[in-house]
Amino acid sequence: MINRIIQTIIENKEFLEKSLEESVKASEISMFSRDLRKVFDEAGRKTLVGILESIDTVLFESTKRKQEYETKDLRTRTLMTDYGNIEYIRRYYRNKKTKEYVYLADEKMGIEK
């Protein structure tokens, strides 16, 4: 999780340096602040996607899950967050007894249908 944030900041290093230079020249800290916010929002989005997809993977590999649910397919979902919209992939399952369909990762994280 921390690695995703650091990676995003490193990937945007040149953008931030240029933004800071322009802000100093224009004596405009609000410009730099706005650009910095964009970088941190992107890091937040990437981190959330990583967390949600990691939870899905843990559930997929779970022995208990394998006993109760069968995997149907992968599906994409868009979710509005404080960092902006994110798009993540999670598995769709069917309960072996009740035949009910469910997204276990969404359920685990309290994400409503």
Side-chain angles (χ1 to χ4, degrees):
M1 180 168 42
I2 298 297
N3 290 343
R4 282 185 186 270
I5 294 170
I6 293 169
Q7 181 181 353
T8 301
I9 292 168
I10 290 170
E11 288 170 357
N12 288 282
K13 180 180 177 276
E14 288 179 27
F15 171 78
L16 287 172
E17 287 174 347
K18 184 178 177 186
S19 175
L20 181 58
E21 285 176 20
E22 290 173 6
S23 297
V24 169
K25 288 177 187 174
S27 299
E28 191 63 42
I29 192 65
S30 63
M31 181 184 356
F32 180 68
S33 177
R34 183 188 66 239
D35 292 341
L36 187 60
R37 174 66 188 236
K38 289 178 188 177
V39 171
F40 283 120
D41 283 350
E42 179 64 18
R45 285 190 294 273
K46 286 182 177 182
T47 301
L48 286 173
V49 169
I51 289 168
L52 292 169
E53 291 181 352
S54 293
I55 288 169
D56 185 72
T57 299
V58 168
L59 291 167
F60 176 71
E61 295 171 352
S62 164
T63 303
K64 184 177 184 219
R65 190 278 310 157
K66 291 176 184 176
Q67 293 169 355
E68 297 177 23
Y69 294 91
E70 61 186 1
T71 307
K72 296 312 288 178
D73 59 12
L74 291 171
R75 297 192 180 174
T76 302
R77 174 150 190 202
T78 301
L79 186 65
M80 182 184 277
T81 73
D82 291 338
Y83 301 107
N85 289 344
I86 62 168
E87 190 172 279
Y88 64 101
I89 298 170
R90 78 276 200 246
R91 289 173 180 84
Y92 197 44
Y93 296 97
R94 186 175 80 153
N95 185 296
K96 292 179 180 180
K97 290 181 185 174
T98 67
K99 308 300 182 202
E100 177 184 69
Y101 289 89
V102 65
Y103 295 99
L104 293 177
D106 288 1
E107 201 173 74
K108 180 82 171 169
M109 293 301 293
I111 298 170
E112 297 179 9
K113 295 180 180 179

